[in-house]
Amino acid sequence: MDISIFLQNFIDILDDTDPALIQPETIFRDLDEWNSLTALSLIAMADEEYSVKLTGDDIKSSNSINDIFETIKNKG
């Protein structure tokens, strides 16, 4: 599993966020576009791309995009 591919997948679920802002250390909750619908899109992306069942608790316990990546990697 590659972080650069994951970052691109994360960018793909966002419509109005500058892709340059999406880095492993980015605190995803600080993104203007982050909301509950985006969280659901992230859960769907994890399922489709990585066959991982990401939960709301997984997202709540994560701070950065890298935290989400590591959670998906560890569940995969």
Side-chain angles (χ1 to χ4, degrees):
M1 195 163 144
D2 186 288
I3 186 72
S4 62
I5 294 170
F6 179 77
L7 290 174
Q8 185 57 55
N9 289 333
F10 196 95
I11 289 166
D12 289 345
I13 66 172
L14 303 171
D15 295 324
D16 300 322
T17 302
D18 181 355
L21 296 175
I22 308 304
Q23 301 297 322
E25 63 276 2
T26 300
I27 306 301
F28 58 87
R29 285 185 201 86
D30 291 346
L31 297 170
D32 289 340
E33 194 172 350
W34 184 261
N35 58 37
S36 59
L37 185 58
T38 311
L40 290 174
S41 296
L42 176 61
I43 290 169
M45 181 269 285
D47 187 32
E48 287 177 26
E49 297 294 327
Y50 303 103
S51 300
V52 168
K53 301 293 184 199
L54 196 63
T55 67
D57 287 339
D58 292 331
I59 294 171
K60 286 179 189 174
S61 66
S62 300
N63 291 312
S64 68
I65 293 174
N66 191 66
D67 293 342
I68 296 285
F69 172 74
E70 290 296 326
T71 298
I72 292 171
K73 191 167 84 170
N74 290 334
K75 285 186 162 199

